[in-house]
Amino acid sequence: MIDGLLLTLTVYAGALAAWTATYAVRGRGPTPQHAAVALVLQAGLALHALARLATLSSSAKPADMAIAVGYLIASVLVLPLAAGSVSSLLEGGGSASGSGWDAGVLSLASAATAVVAARIDAIWP
Amino acid sequence: MNGRTRLLAVSYSILALAAGARSVTQISTRMDDAPLAYGLSAVAAAVYLLITVALRRPTSRWRQVVRTACAAELAAVLAVGTATIARPGAFADETVWSHYGAGYAFLPLVLPVFTLTLLARNPWNLHDEYGDAT
């Protein structure tokens, strides 16, 4: 079940990265819909991290536990880190207050999240 | 801070997070295996953190910090990247800068070049909404 959730989150983060990239290319800021989708992604990542930690004792462990936990922590920190730089997103979105660069920041953070999720999937048995 | 600089700062903060998490876990669990490689990754994380902070400061002094840190990081990526290709056994384990940052989508090589180019073309490029505060 956790693997299914992780795959869903990877695809979801990749889709958000592509969606926001189209706004960045057109010079438009993130909308409230982007903020909502990013929030759902963040909630899913937090849920996934908690589930992984909760089942550590009963499930198969990765060969390099330290690196795996590092990825797990990074997966829940990347989006909040980027959101701090996107004022329009924190204000609830809206192309009037944001710029294409804001959408670019969100796209970059979503892509990085997708990569981290894919790495977790690769190293966690 | 303009949009381009915000994107740069977030890129560097993600690199700082990735390199920092990697080096902290490696140093705390198996430092003896490859002290040079893990130490270099820790240095990389510190440099990325410094650049992230400096990019957010709209003064000429902090711009100089960005320029110096980016130049040092570029030199380190080129040196370590070349060493890992010329002598594959030079480091006991991978570092952030191994193979010119291939493990990080070559961002450690591309970002300092991009940042230094911006600064060389126009020093105000990083903070054109603020002007110089000093």
Side-chain angles (χ1 to χ4, degrees):
Chain A
M1 192 196 102
I2 296 179
D3 290 339
L5 174 63
L6 185 62
L7 179 63
T8 305
L9 290 170
T10 307
V11 173
Y12 191 95
L16 177 59
W19 186 27
T20 44
T22 63
Y23 275 65
V25 168
R26 285 183 286 170
R28 295 174 60 188
T31 64
Q33 286 74 31
H34 289 118
V37 169
L39 199 63
V40 170
L41 174 60
Q42 184 61 28
L45 290 166
L47 189 69
H48 167 261
L50 285 174
R52 283 277 183 208
L53 293 175
T55 56
L56 259 185
S57 56
S58 56
S59 61
K61 294 180 179 56
D64 194 333
M65 179 58 90
I67 297 291
V69 171
Y71 276 130
L72 211 53
I73 294 169
S75 72
V76 293
L77 286 182
V78 171
L79 275 177
L81 207 75
S85 292
V86 184
S87 54
S88 59
L89 195 67
L90 294 175
E91 290 159 6
S95 52
S97 58
S99 72
W101 291 105
D102 287 339
V105 167
L106 188 56
S107 178
L108 176 75
S110 305
T113 300
V115 170
V116 170
R119 289 264 181 115
I120 292 174
D121 186 48
I123 63 175
W124 217 296
Chain B
M1 187 162 57
N2 62 34
R4 187 191 297 119
T5 309
R6 264 203 314 277
L7 190 62
L8 270 179
V10 168
S11 304
Y12 274 112
S13 63
I14 291 172
L15 270 183
L17 175 68
R22 175 192 183 129
S23 61
V24 164
T25 51
Q26 287 174 330
I27 287 172
S28 61
T29 56
R30 48 171 197 270
M31 178 65 173
D32 293 340
D33 291 357
L36 178 59
Y38 300 157
L40 278 175
S41 290
V43 169
V47 171
Y48 294 139
L49 190 60
L50 175 67
I51 297 173
T52 303
V53 172
L55 280 170
R56 293 170 183 274
R57 302 286 192 274
T59 68
S60 56
R61 187 177 302 167
W62 282 105
R63 263 201 310 278
Q64 188 56 41
V65 171
V66 171
R67 188 179 287 119
T68 306
C70 283
E73 195 239 329
L74 181 58
V77 174
L78 292 174
V80 174
T82 304
T84 49
I85 288 172
R87 288 185 57 207
F91 298 94
D93 202 350
E94 291 281 297
T95 80
V96 174
W97 293 325
S98 293
H99 303 98
Y100 304 109
Y104 294 81
F106 294 102
L107 282 179
L109 181 65
V110 173
L111 281 181
V113 171
F114 183 65
T115 309
L116 289 170
T117 305
L118 273 183
L119 282 167
R121 281 170 52 188
N122 178 1
W124 307 106
N125 258 346
L126 293 182
H127 294 284
D128 54 14
E129 291 156 9
Y130 289 99
D132 194 3
T134 54

